Amino acid sequence: MNPESPVQPPARHGLMRDLRRLLVYSGKRLLALFLTVLVGVYLTIVVANMGGEVDELRMVQIRSEAAEMVRANPDFQDMPSEERNRLIQRQVELEVERLRLDEPFMLRSIDYLRQAISLDLGRAEQMHSDRGSREVYDIIVERLPATLLLFGTANLLVFFVSVFMALSLSRHYGSLLDRCVIALAPSSAAPGWFYGIFLILLFAFVFPLLPASGMVAAPPPEGTWAYTLSVLRHMLLPLAAMFVSQLFVSIYSWRTFFLIHSSEDYVEMARAKGLPVGLIERRYILRPTLAPIITSFLLMLVGLWSGAIILEQVFNWPGLGSLLFQAIGHRDTPVIIGSVVIFAYLLALTVFLLDILYALLDPRIRIEGGER
Amino acid sequence: MRRWLGGMRELRRYPSAILGMVVIALLVGLSLYTVISIPYPQALELWRGGDQWRMTPANAEPVWLDRLTGGREPTTITVSSDDADIEEQPFEGGRRLRIPLTFEYDYEGFPSEINLFLRAEGHEQRPFARLLWETPDGREISLGGYRIGREDRVSISQDRTLERRLGGMVPHVGLLAEPETQQAPQVQPGRYTLMLDAVVFDEQADIEANLVLYGRVHGIAGTDHQRRDLSVALMWGTPVALAFGLLAAVGTTVTTLIVAAVGVWYRGWIDAAIQRLTEVNMILPLLPVLVMVGTLYSTSIWLMLGVVVLLGIFSAGIKMYRAMLLPIREAPYIEAAQAYGAGNLRIVMRYLIPRILPVLIPTFVTLIPTFVFLEASLALLGLGDPVLPTWGKVLNDAQAQSALYNGYYYWVLEPAALLMLTGLGFATLGFALDRVFNPRLRSL
């Protein structure tokens, strides 16, 4: 632990030193993560702008929109064409100035980056929220509940069901149920949307029991209860699709994981001592495997943020995934960058949290000034 | 080498592995057959659609599906004037032609559409034709008169006045229905004739007529809304999917492995740079980046493949390979190789990488369906390759035409079944390989 001093230092000093190391380590990690986020977000900005080429498209769009506006307005009908052209030109210039398209892209990209990193998400170019707000923040916040509701429920369900199933399967290793799960594990090769199509076909068209798409019935039912019920009915199919596509492989991998850990010598030792099964599971299997379990739990929570583009498209679910898809279709870079930057921050935060948690949970990962 | 053969022999003990291999072999066989029987340029040409599909029905389901469920829906009937007994009466400055287009109709359902294709080439003055429909029970229904151009299509099904005369029934139903029934229209089976009574103002030039009664079933795969035979896309989707999955899987795993090995061997700043790049890459979401590339640049499948491989180089797998390679780096045989003077590159390529290749194989095999489905996902979002027929594009077309809502289940189920087959084939083999080659699972 401490190669320099062979003599055991007093506990208080040791604590101070550990704290200092922890601080230095955290600082280094934070800096590294921040740089990572910076580079990742900048890359996204460049890709989302096609390295500046989107500007050309935008210019064409602005010009045609300005011309259309002037032409459609009856007030300008009997204006001489020269004056009208000047009006169009002025409109275009105003818009160019508003979007700062007259500055070189490199300069603007740095500026975008500064704004994105300071979480100043700005205003959308084309899109607006259902309430009519142009703020990227409002647009994203409006879509967030739908994504959290659907993906939160599905992922939590899959996570807990698979961990507990896996624990019980690893206890009854080789049983019929165990073999069934192993046989079903390859079914997860297909993604959720794929099962979604089958489920829609089966339960919305062949047996019309559940709605095929959307989040609530149109028009939305009056009253909280009726509304909740409608949302639940709409949630059932996408939930089932995700559950089916992820459950078996998840159980399979956790089961293998627990099996590997329950064949360790110290577990055999505990069994030989005659300790009760529950105690062995809690103290000898779950305790040392807590770190990976928490890791995957946290990463799953972060994964919620991006939603799932295709599943949301297939089920017409108004979440973040379809928001991102629409934003890309509209070339609305502020919205794209906004959702990527939040994802990046959440991921970085999670990784940082995991670093600290690992140090607390796993005594083997000792802080030795950083990399190991 | 012996380890590989041993692994293969062990693999035979798993029925799931055999099943997976059979499925993969079938798919490979189908791709080979497709590539040989429908050459690449021809496939693109066929899939572009247009006039070459004018003789096939739109949205027809596969024949076997109908016959299995006990239906007797019609297939497409084409009657050509080449086989007809043409009656010819010459007169001053021209001829009068009577062309009977006769066919037997003996199906339960009505055709989905009726078209008459007329060709009159080399005429100075456009010939004139009157059409007369004769039913088996002797009724005669006039379908009006037409001046025939060089190449004409008479859409009998679209004739609104005829529809009114038939009592509000669409012509392709009304013309073949039993007369004066109050209930739903019934087919009157028997011999029908479309008499083409034409006046030609020329001594030699002929008229060519083709009557097409489009069926409701077609071929083994059915057709889509553009009358294209789905079997073209389903067959060509196989080599495309396999090639995409295989290339993407090879591209990502091999490059990732090499990068990880290089990092482990050289250590220092190279390793640090690789680690940081991996972390940056974790922040970039793969699918949105692909969607951006697709909407902003091009949706060519090869560009997509390139981006997938590029983003896959610094994937999370590097961390895993790194953990596996770190202990190997310190192994005595590496030291021995160094002692006899092996270069850095040689050690990385010949000593480090081969050691963990067996562990890699299961991952590699299970990765293939992921990429096959990725291609389908992109196509489903409308970002499929613009010219290439793929399974995903069939699904996308079906989705866009609300196939499920309209009851064209085959349109969704056929590509889905092929995707599922591919996914299951590779996944079952991959899981079995994992149990054989993964040392951690061996003892279990």
Side-chain angles (χ1 to χ4, degrees):
Chain A
M1 208 181 123
N2 189 0
E4 296 109 83
S5 55
V7 189
Q8 197 71 13
R12 228 169 68 84
H13 273 237
L15 190 69
M16 286 304 287
R17 195 199 48 225
D18 274 2
L19 260 179
R20 206 183 59 240
R21 276 188 178 169
L22 186 71
L23 276 179
V24 169
Y25 172 69
S26 315
K28 270 188 180 171
R29 280 306 288 165
L30 271 179
L31 194 70
L33 285 170
F34 181 70
L35 282 177
T36 314
V37 171
L38 212 63
V39 176
V41 171
Y42 190 71
L43 279 179
T44 317
I45 291 174
V46 171
V47 175
N49 283 292
M50 281 170 81
E53 263 184 77
V54 167
D55 293 353
E56 306 292 318
L57 300 175
R58 261 187 223 137
M59 282 304 287
V60 173
Q61 204 174 0
I62 290 169
R63 219 166 276 141
S64 70
E65 263 170 24
E68 192 53 45
M69 206 185 71
V70 170
R71 208 167 296 137
N73 196 331
D75 294 351
F76 303 136
Q77 279 298 328
D78 32 66
M79 208 180 250
S81 69
E82 208 175 291
E83 204 170 326
R84 231 193 304 177
N85 281 346
R86 226 172 316 138
L87 192 66
I88 293 174
Q89 192 55 38
R90 231 184 80 73
Q91 287 284 348
V92 170
E93 272 163 25
L94 273 176
E95 190 69 10
V96 164
E97 210 179 304
R98 184 176 80 79
L99 296 173
R100 299 172 50 216
L101 288 178
D102 46 349
E103 293 171 26
F105 173 69
M106 278 311 288
L107 218 72
R108 259 181 305 134
S109 69
I110 301 289
D111 212 50
Y112 289 155
L113 180 64
R114 194 179 48 75
Q115 284 177 2
I117 289 297
S118 56
L119 278 180
D120 170 14
L121 300 180
R123 290 164 69 84
E125 283 172 13
Q126 307 278 326
M127 305 175 73
H128 47 77
S129 71
D130 290 343
R131 293 210 181 81
S133 168
R134 271 273 165 113
E135 296 290 319
V136 172
Y137 174 81
D138 289 340
I139 297 177
I140 290 178
V141 163
E142 201 179 65
R143 297 295 192 101
L144 190 58
T147 290
L148 282 187
L149 178 66
L150 177 60
F151 292 85
T153 320
N155 286 0
L156 286 179
L157 217 60
V158 167
F159 183 82
F160 285 109
V161 169
S162 57
V163 167
F164 284 106
M165 279 281 283
L167 257 183
S168 89
L169 283 187
S170 70
R171 215 179 303 141
H172 307 288
Y173 161 65
S175 67
L176 184 66
L177 189 65
D178 187 43
R179 275 182 308 192
C180 280
V181 167
I182 295 177
L184 281 173
S187 69
S188 299
W193 62 262
F194 186 78
Y195 290 103
I197 290 180
F198 281 109
L199 289 175
I200 291 177
L201 171 69
L202 209 61
F203 291 107
F205 291 106
V206 178
F207 309 104
L209 298 171
L210 290 167
S213 65
M215 190 170 143
V216 284
E222 302 277 331
T224 324
W225 276 112
Y227 192 87
T228 316
L229 203 69
S230 171
V231 171
L232 277 180
R233 270 170 56 83
H234 283 79
M235 253 175 80
L236 221 52
L237 283 186
L239 203 64
M242 271 189 281
F243 196 66
V244 170
S245 83
Q246 292 169 18
L247 184 70
F248 294 110
V249 82
S250 191
I251 295 180
Y252 176 81
S253 54
W254 281 121
R255 163 198 167 273
T256 315
F257 178 78
F258 285 134
L259 272 179
I260 289 169
H261 278 273
S262 56
S263 58
E264 297 276 356
D265 291 341
Y266 56 82
V267 182
E268 299 290 334
M269 175 68 185
R271 277 208 195 99
K273 276 199 289 187
L275 291 180
V277 181
L279 191 74
I280 292 179
E281 225 157 57
R282 250 178 292 121
R283 203 174 286 167
Y284 289 81
I285 300 179
L286 277 181
R287 179 71 181 77
T289 54
L290 208 54
I293 294 178
I294 287 181
T295 309
S296 78
F297 184 74
L298 282 180
L299 285 179
M300 177 207 85
L301 285 186
V302 174
L304 285 183
W305 175 257
S306 54
I309 293 185
I310 302 165
L311 196 88
E312 288 185 11
Q313 285 296 112
V314 167
F315 282 100
N316 208 0
W317 190 263
L320 288 170
S322 46
L323 174 75
L324 194 54
F325 185 62
Q326 284 163 7
I328 295 169
H330 284 121
R331 297 181 176 76
D332 204 330
T333 39
V335 180
I336 303 173
I337 294 166
S339 51
V340 171
V341 85
I342 293 178
F343 175 72
Y345 266 126
L346 281 178
L347 193 70
L349 197 72
T350 314
V351 171
F352 181 68
L353 217 78
L354 282 177
D355 282 336
I356 305 281
L357 263 179
Y358 270 10
L360 295 178
L361 284 176
D362 193 342
R364 280 176 303 182
I365 303 177
R366 270 279 154 249
I367 300 166
E368 284 171 353
E371 301 294 307
R372 203 183 75 86
Chain B
M1 204 60 210
R2 217 180 308 133
R3 197 169 155 197
W4 294 76
L5 284 177
M8 285 297 151
R9 218 169 297 127
E10 206 175 322
L11 204 59
R12 267 186 296 181
R13 287 191 2 237
Y14 292 93
S16 63
I18 306 278
L19 190 75
M21 280 195 275
V22 168
V23 169
I24 294 170
L26 280 177
L27 287 169
V28 171
L30 178 61
S31 339
L32 285 178
Y33 171 74
T34 308
V35 176
I36 292 166
S37 66
I38 313 175
Y40 181 71
Q42 195 193 338
L44 296 192
E45 185 61 37
L46 282 173
W47 195 241
R48 196 175 301 142
D51 227 27
Q52 53 192 321
W53 293 110
R54 61 181 192 170
M55 294 300 192
T56 47
N59 290 327
E61 62 173 26
V63 175
W64 53 268
L65 189 67
D66 178 62
R67 300 296 183 261
L68 274 184
T69 49
R72 255 183 344 117
E73 293 290 341
T75 49
T76 303
I77 301 174
T78 310
V79 195
S80 168
S81 60
D82 294 345
D83 315 323
D85 288 330
I86 304 177
E87 227 177 281
E88 206 174 320
Q89 288 175 332
F91 64 86
E92 191 82 16
R95 293 171 298 156
R96 184 176 173 198
L97 301 174
R98 283 172 61 85
I99 310 173
L101 299 170
T102 308
F103 62 95
E104 290 282 342
Y105 197 83
D106 182 30
Y107 293 104
E108 244 164 40
F110 291 98
S112 58
E113 203 181 343
I114 302 178
N115 276 343
L116 178 65
F117 294 97
L118 295 168
R119 269 164 72 99
E121 261 181 275
H123 295 264
E124 267 180 31
Q125 212 182 343
R126 285 165 69 177
F128 183 82
R130 280 194 307 129
L131 310 179
L132 197 67
W133 185 268
E134 292 168 14
T135 58
D137 58 351
R139 285 173 299 138
E140 293 192 342
I141 304 166
S142 164
L143 302 186
Y146 294 91
R147 265 202 189 285
I148 307 172
R150 260 165 52 86
E151 208 160 317
D152 258 350
R153 166 203 293 228
V154 179
S155 303
I156 297 174
S157 293
Q158 311 275 317
D159 194 337
R160 294 279 165 250
T161 44
L162 178 62
E163 187 176 333
R164 259 196 308 274
R165 274 194 290 139
L166 289 166
M169 279 190 281
V170 206
H172 55 255
V173 175
L175 287 175
L176 294 146
E178 201 79 63
E180 271 123 45
T181 40
Q182 299 303 314
Q183 301 97 357
Q186 288 270 321
V187 172
Q188 185 174 49
R191 199 175 171 80
Y192 288 84
T193 307
L194 177 68
M195 183 60 78
L196 204 69
D197 199 349
V199 179
V200 184
F201 307 101
D202 197 292
E203 301 293 322
Q204 269 95 44
D206 248 337
I207 294 180
E208 226 184 282
N210 277 303
L211 174 68
V212 186
L213 285 91
Y214 297 96
R216 291 192 183 268
V217 291
H218 182 88
I220 56 165
T223 58
D224 66 2
H225 61 300
Q226 293 186 35
R227 303 173 183 277
R228 294 177 297 195
D229 193 337
L230 283 180
S231 64
V232 175
L234 295 180
M235 281 168 73
W236 253 95
T238 322
V240 171
L242 290 187
F244 187 84
L246 199 70
L247 286 176
V250 169
T252 49
T253 41
V254 170
T255 48
T256 307
L257 184 56
I258 292 177
V259 167
V262 165
V264 165
W265 182 247
Y266 287 97
R267 286 188 180 166
W269 67 269
I270 295 182
D271 193 26
I274 290 172
Q275 296 268 52
R276 293 294 89 75
L277 271 174
T278 312
E279 279 159 19
V280 167
N281 202 16
M282 271 172 72
I283 287 179
L284 290 179
L286 173 68
L287 195 60
V289 168
L290 281 177
V291 173
M292 273 188 245
V293 169
T295 35
L296 299 177
Y297 294 81
S298 122
T299 51
S300 154
I301 199 169
W302 306 120
L303 178 73
M304 290 291 172
L305 183 67
V307 176
V308 167
V309 171
L310 205 69
L311 287 176
I313 293 176
F314 292 100
S315 65
I318 283 194
K319 302 255 174 200
M320 192 179 80
Y321 301 146
R322 198 167 166 275
M324 284 187 217
L325 284 166
L326 273 174
I328 297 176
R329 190 187 191 281
E330 312 296 335
Y333 79 96
I334 302 265
E335 219 172 307
Q338 259 181 313
Y340 85 67
N344 284 329
L345 196 67
R346 189 181 169 82
I347 290 181
V348 169
M349 299 306 268
R350 301 296 301 270
Y351 290 83
L352 274 179
I353 292 177
R355 268 300 290 277
I356 64 166
L357 267 186
V359 188
L360 205 68
I361 291 177
T363 332
F364 169 73
V365 174
T366 29
L367 260 181
I368 293 176
T370 319
F371 290 117
V372 172
F373 275 103
L374 182 69
E375 192 275 326
S377 309
L378 286 172
L380 198 72
L381 290 176
L383 299 172
D385 191 274
V387 292
L388 216 55
T390 65
W391 297 334
K393 279 182 79 180
V394 176
L395 275 178
N396 183 34
D397 283 343
Q399 190 89 353
Q401 302 292 322
S402 322
L404 292 182
Y405 181 75
N406 290 322
Y408 307 136
Y409 296 155
Y410 67 93
W411 200 353
V412 174
L413 287 179
E414 285 168 3
L418 281 169
L419 275 170
M420 193 76 234
L421 202 65
T422 315
L424 282 183
F426 282 103
T428 43
L429 180 63
F431 275 85
L433 280 170
D434 200 25
R435 265 173 277 167
V436 173
F437 281 114
N438 201 337
R440 298 262 270 165
L441 297 179
R442 264 185 161 195
S443 51
L444 299 177

